[in-house]
């Protein structure tokens, strides 16, 4: 079974992608969020809170990465 990592699952785009893939495929989905926890994802989606600006060491290998996370500059740019 393929494993997919989706970053930014708390954003609109990341959430929609995770929701679509969970409904249409049998892939194992790992959805990462930072601020807004996605509440509508199906139970077969593994949801984790992560701060991607810090070092993360994965023990699992992923077949696909879908990166939807972003950071808004705090200085108002």
């Amino acid at each position: 079974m393929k494993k997919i990592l989706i970053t930014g699952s708390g954003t609109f785009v990341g959430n929609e992608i995770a929701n679509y893939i969970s409904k249409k495929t049998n892939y194992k989905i790992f959805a990462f969020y930072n601020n807004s926890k996605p509440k509508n994802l199906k139970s077969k989606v593994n949801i984790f809170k992560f701060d991607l600006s810090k070092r993360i060491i994965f023990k699992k290998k992923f077949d696909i990465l879908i990166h939807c996370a972003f950071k808004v500059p705090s200085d108002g740019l």
Side-chain angles (χ1 to χ4, degrees):
M1 176 182 295
K2 289 194 178 193
K3 292 182 232 153
I4 299 177
L5 170 60
I6 302 174
T7 64
S9 65
T11 66
F12 177 76
V13 173
N15 187 282
E16 290 295 314
I17 290 172
N19 197 24
Y20 179 82
I21 292 172
S22 71
K23 288 179 181 176
K24 300 288 184 183
T25 68
N26 250 353
Y27 297 164
K28 189 164 187 168
I29 301 169
F30 297 85
F32 287 8
Y33 74 96
N34 188 21
N35 293 326
S36 302
K37 182 176 182 179
K39 295 181 172 88
N40 66 327
L41 295 179
K42 293 172 67 173
S43 61
K44 76 177 199 175
V45 177
N46 301 293
I47 302 171
F48 300 96
K49 180 171 175 65
F50 272 102
D51 182 357
L52 294 177
S53 66
K54 301 199 167 125
R55 183 181 169 116
I56 300 170
I57 299 172
F58 296 110
K59 293 183 181 178
K60 296 182 186 264
K61 298 206 182 238
F62 299 98
D63 299 300
I64 300 169
L65 167 66
I66 301 173
H67 182 63
C68 300
F70 65 92
K71 183 166 179 147
V72 177
S74 60
D75 60 1
L77 293 176

